[in-house]
Each structure stands twice: as structure tokens, then as C-alpha cells.
Amino acid sequence: MATDGWGIDDGYQDARGEWRTIAPETIAAVRAAMDAGGAPPSAERRIQVVRQHQTVRIPSGRLYLEDGSHVDLRRKRLPPDIPIGYHDFRPKRGEGPSIRFIVTPGRCPLPKRGLWGWAGQLYAARSQDSWGFGDLADLRRLAVWARSHGAGFLLVNPLSAASPVTPQQPSPYYPASRRFLNPLYLRIEEVPGAASVAGDLEWLATAGKALNEQRVIDRNKVFELKMHALEKIFGRVSSDRAFERYCAERRRDLAEFATFCVLAEKLGGDWRAWPSEFQRSGGPAVARFVDDNRERIRFHQWLQWLLDEQLARAGEESAIVQDLAIGVDPGGADAWVWQDLYAQSCTVGAPPDLYNRQGQDWGLPPFIPHKLRAAGYEPFVQTLRATLRHSRGLRIDHVMGLFRLYWVPHGLDATHGAFVRYPADEMLAIVAIESQRAGAFVVGEDLGTVDEEIRALLAAHRVLSYRLLWFEDEPPASYPELSMAAVTTHDLPTVAGLWDGHDVRAQRALGLDPNEEGLRAIRDKLASLGHLDEEARADDVVDRAYQLLSGAASYVATASLDDALAVNERPNMPCTTTQWPNWSLALPGGIEALEKSPLAGRIAAAMRKRGRTKRLSKGATLKDRRSPPVPGSATHGVDADQTVD
């Protein structure tokens, strides 16, 4: 295999082990999306990764530290006590280029060995008090329940913001912004000032709670009811010091996001269809728009503050582990702000494999590697920092995106894509910095074909691998220690759906081409490992699957909320759009059913065998005095050589 100067591979080995050469027209389309004219770029801004206490020779000059201070360097080397973070060096005139030093601990914190937690979709885990949608108060209640069963954390779907318009985007993996949260997750009754308009909210709450009667979530109706309620409350609240501090902390990023939201309300949810004068976030027309709409912009800033407060309260009850989507909506807020860094005429996907024979196109624009690097990785840093806020762990969806992404040019199908390489060493250094500062462990979703060299590099950075009972040939006791173990994922069959054949029947009914041989092999493996009779009941099979998983050698393991209720349907059916209620199926009976579920109790009893777990606590981190607080963040660092307690 050869890789050109733009990072484009000339071919790849597919899931069957066969070599696929990339067509010239695909490579040409990918280069065009990169603005790849002329010679391959040397980075417009030089980047150098440095491990703490590493000796680095440099010319004389001035080092501007991340906290705003500076150091004049005359000994022509970096100070040995330079804190972790992002620092800019400017040499004396004529002595070389400027350099951004990424000073990294090199490794992410590890969780306590034997830790386990529940994993699920928050929107699905609603209660009788919800307005048809699992919210952050439900997350707090779920956290109390999970802790009572001995779980150490909750792994939830991305909580990222969608554009504030209808129809609402159902997929949490297709966010308008990965830096901000979705107001659908607000518990209205807990918003400060809600009591002052209780009479006006009564009919809205009644209508919202009535939505719990239907299994398929109606996001559009939930959005309309909650926005109506929030507008009423906002009209009655006065300024709050905590809100003002939040606005000052998030500064320009929050202002830009709120501005996008108001523009979207007036012009539609896709900035690419707006009048040209509004398509640039820094343009004069946008500045005038801000002046004319300050109160509505403030309303959207207030929503983000409310979300931040409610998420923080949930995190006080149990550690929250968040999931980071691989990309963003091309018409959303992040793509609007950073549009020059995204490849607008390509999307991210996956080549054909044994379970998706036509490949996948996820519709998400990729960052252009050399442009992201030239920007000092600022969008990547902001995204990680925002996702780790109030979190004690991070699951990076499709972690191979730190190494390479499969680009699908517009106009071609997913069988005609190409892999593009990214500067993995630099991106992993940033992951280590941000996770260390947050005191959070990191899991990389590395399913599929992954080179062992890449897995070794992830392990060296203490990024946990992701191991599924469905896919592993060996029993859980043989899984690598540096991993998170699970039975299945949101894109794969639940235990009950696999065992009773519901999943295969659903795929056939949708006109898909299920890999029945592969699914049958998984079922047979489960029967063999679990010594299960073919006529075993689904809930007994679920119980046995988690007894097997409890023996995993992995540092961390998760149990699925769907399996705790023996749900037949998977949350998402790949290769479908409207044919399946993707990301819209509520847990039958909601949190109340979980709290009463004997099966959930049996799963928890099995998982507790992994050993006594300690709940992850923000207060339990070990402070690293050499690392200053992140500017604009309340979190501090932990020693990367220590475990997260």
C-alpha cells in the first residue's frame, strides 16, 4: 500500500482479506475536496508533540504558555517543568518558524480494574415524569438506581445538540454541534423560575406526559412542547450570576452557537441554504443580526446553561461516561463555524463488510487533515473538552478516525470510497491531555478490521479497546486487560432479538440482506459458551450472557439497559432511514420497569462478581500541580500514571 502526500491510500484490504485498489476518479474527487492543488502541503503552522520532562532543543525565543503567561528562552531548550497543554513558541527573528508544542502526559488515566456500569440510550430511558423523552432528571434517577445495584458508571449516547427546528434530527450521532447539548434533555419542572409559571406549564406537562403512552418517541412534539415551556419561563426570569459566569466561561464559542440557533430558527436548519451573507459566521451581516437579536441569542445561551447545570447534578449521583460521535451534521453549527476545515464534497463512511455488504455512508463531512493541523487542532480540542465536561469517561465512536477515515465523494456510493490518513500521534497526544485534565478514562470503539500496530499504539496511550461477546472468538476471560467488554452495541442485535430470531425477521421485512449465516454463528457460539438449550427462554439467555461477560479480564465492562428488559429491537438498524424507528424506541415501561425488573437484578448480581467497584467521583482525582486548569474550564488534571477512583 502507498499513501500520497495528502494522506490518501491507494487501496485497502477488505473484510474478506482481498485487496481493493482505489479508482483514479475517487482519488481525484478526494483531492478536490481537500483543495489539494499543486504540491502536498507543509503545515502552515508547525506542530511538535513533547512528552513531559522531555529534553527538546530549540532556538532562542519566547514561549507563550496556554495560561497567557510567557517565558523567554535563552538556553535553547524547553523548560523541563513546562506544564501539559498547548504552548506557542516564537523564535527570534530569522531563527526558524513558530511552533505549537503539544506537551502531553502520553497516557490517559485508567479506571479501577473490575469496574462495570450500565450502557443505554438516555432518550429511551424515560420515566412517568418525562415529557415523552428521557431527560437529565431521568439520568439522575437512573444513576441512583445504577449505584444501588453496584454499578460504577453510566455510559450514555451522545447528548449533543441538534438544530433547533423541526423535523428534529433523531440520530445522536448526527449532531449539529458536538460542543453543546440538546434542550430536549431538559427537565422543565427543574428549570429555575418554572414555579412562577406553573399554571401556564400545567397543560404542557399533561400533553408531554401523554407522549409516554406511545413506544415510538415523537421528538417533534417534545421539541414544540418544551420550547413553548422554556420561552414562558425565560420571559419571567431575571439575570443569574451563575448564568453570567457560564457565558463568560464559554465566551465566543457559546455566542457563535447561540447565534447559529437563532439564524436556524429564522432561515432553516441548514446553513448551506441560507442567503450567502449569513453563510460566514464572522461576516458583517451576521454581526448586524446579532445586534438585532440579542435577547433571543441570550435565550439559547440560557438553555445551554440549564443543560450544563442539570448534567452536573446527574454526575453527582454516579459517574457519567459520554459517547463522542465521529462527526457532525454538514448543515449544523460546528460545520458553519469551521466550514473551511471540513471537506464539503465528501462524507465519512465504511467500506463493505460481512454485515453491511454495500458499505456505509454516514453523511458526515470529514475534517481535512492538513487544515485541521494548521488550525492547531483547536476544533478537536474544543470538542473533546466539551464532551468530557462533567464526565468521568469517554467512548470515542469509530476510534480509527484518529488514524484514517473512509471518505465517500458526493455522487459515488460507499463501495467507491478511499481511506485518508490523519496525524494519529498528535491527536492521541491531545486525547491524553484532555482526559488527564478531566480525570476520565477513554475507550476507543475499534470494531472491525484494525491493524495490530494501531491497537498497540492505542494501548500505549491507555486507550481501552472495545471487545464484544458477539464478535470475539475466545471467551471473555481471554479479553485483553486494556479493554471495555460488552455483549452488543446499539447497531447490533440485542440478546433477545438474536436468540428468538426477531432481528433477522425484522431485517427481512425491511427488504435488507441480513447475514443470516453470521448471525446464526453468533447464536451458536452463545449457546455453546453458555451451555444453553435451544429452547431456553430469552431472559435466561440474557442472564447467562452476562454471567459470561462478568468473567471478562477487561478493566471495564458494561451491561445494556435494553438487555435488562429483554428488548427484541436494536436501537438502530444500519442501512435504513425511515424504514425503521432508528434512535426512537423507548424502553418498554421506562425507568419504572427497570427498577422492578428481576432480570436487571440478575444481570447486576452477575456483574458485581467482577469485584467491589468504586464509584468514580470528581473529588477523587489526584491533582497534578504541574498542570494548570484549562483556561475557561473548572476541571483540573490527574496524574496520568494513576487510576481513576
Side-chain angles (χ1 to χ4, degrees), residues 497-574:
L498 174 80
W499 188 257
D500 66 13
H502 181 277
D503 190 81
V504 165
R505 291 193 297 273
Q507 291 190 62
R508 288 187 196 134
L510 294 170
L512 301 177
D513 182 20
N515 183 346
E516 297 190 37
E517 181 181 349
L519 292 172
R520 179 69 196 189
I522 294 173
R523 189 183 188 278
D524 290 345
K525 177 178 64 177
L526 178 59
S528 175
L529 288 173
H531 305 290
L532 291 162
D533 185 89
E534 281 289 327
E535 303 305 316
R537 295 186 311 133
D539 58 346
D540 291 332
V541 177
V542 171
D543 185 5
R544 187 62 186 134
Y546 283 97
Q547 289 181 34
L548 289 167
L549 194 75
S550 70
S554 310
Y555 262 84
V556 187
T558 62
S560 164
L561 295 180
D562 292 287
D563 286 338
L565 294 175
V567 173
N568 279 319
E569 306 94 344
R570 59 172 95 181
N572 178 57
M573 185 73 77

Side-chain angles (χ1 to χ4, degrees), residues 200-319:
D200 292 333
L201 296 183
E202 186 174 354
W203 73 269
L204 293 168
T206 299
K209 292 174 183 178
L211 296 173
N212 292 328
E213 298 173 8
Q214 57 193 49
R215 175 88 189 279
V216 177
I217 292 168
D218 187 345
R219 278 181 172 79
N220 294 336
K221 188 64 176 177
V222 175
F223 174 79
E224 291 167 359
L225 292 171
K226 289 197 172 184
M227 290 299 284
H228 193 170
L230 290 162
E231 287 164 354
K232 284 183 175 294
I233 300 170
F234 183 70
R236 298 285 291 274
V237 298
S238 57
S239 181
D240 185 293
R241 289 185 179 179
F243 170 48
E244 300 300 339
R245 286 195 299 271
Y246 175 77
C247 290
E249 180 183 338
R250 301 301 297 268
R251 299 190 295 270
R252 177 179 175 179
D253 304 334
L254 176 63
E256 285 181 329
F257 173 74
T259 300
F260 170 87
C261 289
V262 181
L263 281 163
E265 289 176 331
K266 295 179 180 295
L267 301 175
D270 188 336
W271 64 268
R272 297 169 299 178
W274 295 350
S276 59
E277 62 267 27
F278 296 112
Q279 290 186 5
R280 289 280 174 178
S281 61
V286 173
R288 291 191 296 271
F289 182 87
V290 169
D291 288 338
D292 294 339
N293 293 275
R294 290 194 179 279
E295 192 65 9
R296 189 64 181 179
I297 290 171
R298 188 171 176 80
F299 168 72
H300 282 280
Q301 292 173 310
W302 177 71
L303 296 184
Q304 291 302 313
W305 170 66
L306 296 175
L307 287 158
D308 191 71
E309 293 281 301
Q310 291 193 8
L311 179 58
R313 288 201 293 275
E316 291 170 359
E317 297 297 340
S318 180

Side-chain angles (χ1 to χ4, degrees), residues 400-416:
M400 280 296 294
L402 302 181
F403 298 84
R404 67 177 189 178
L405 280 173
Y406 189 71
W407 288 29
V408 181
H410 290 181
L412 300 178
D413 62 38
T415 64
H416 293 88

Side-chain angles (χ1 to χ4, degrees), residues 114-132:
L115 189 72
W116 76 277
W118 291 100
Q121 312 298 312
L122 178 56
Y123 60 80
R126 62 193 185 187
S127 67
Q128 292 176 359
D129 295 326
S130 308
W131 291 19

